[in-house]
Amino acid sequence: LFPGVAVGYHFNLVKLPQVLTEYVAKWQVPCNGTECKRASLDKAMSASIVRVWQKHYLTHPDRRVHVVLDFHPLSEAPGEGPYILMFFKFIGMQQADAEP
């Protein structure tokens, strides 16, 4: 054996859950053609979305609930305004079981 060389691997994998529920929520600023570059996220709406995420999902008591908050503050494609996404993943449960 040489120091620093891996000669074997061992993985303790978790069992695949029976149910894996995923969905995405999207809030997008409407825009038309040339005004998309100037469009911006509404501060009040953005703040309320962040509050919901912080209050209900950031520190959810059930560790099987994972929610990612993702901001896209600039227009990324023609005809699309800025948007906010929430990616929800409920491991081993349905969405109704995860409601705080």
Side-chain angles (χ1 to χ4, degrees), residues 3 16 27 38 44-45 48 51-52 69 75-77 87-88 96 100:
L16 185 65
W27 294 269
R38 293 188 309 262
M45 179 188 74
S48 66
R51 274 194 299 277
V52 167
L69 183 63
S75 175
E76 296 175 354
F87 297 97
F88 296 84

Side-chain angles (χ1 to χ4, degrees), residues 4 18 35 40 45 55 66 69-70 85 92 94 99:
Q18 295 293 324
E35 68 182 47
S40 62
M45 179 188 74
K55 183 177 180 183
H66 301 273
L69 183 63
D70 190 11
L85 296 173
Q94 299 292 332
E99 294 296 326

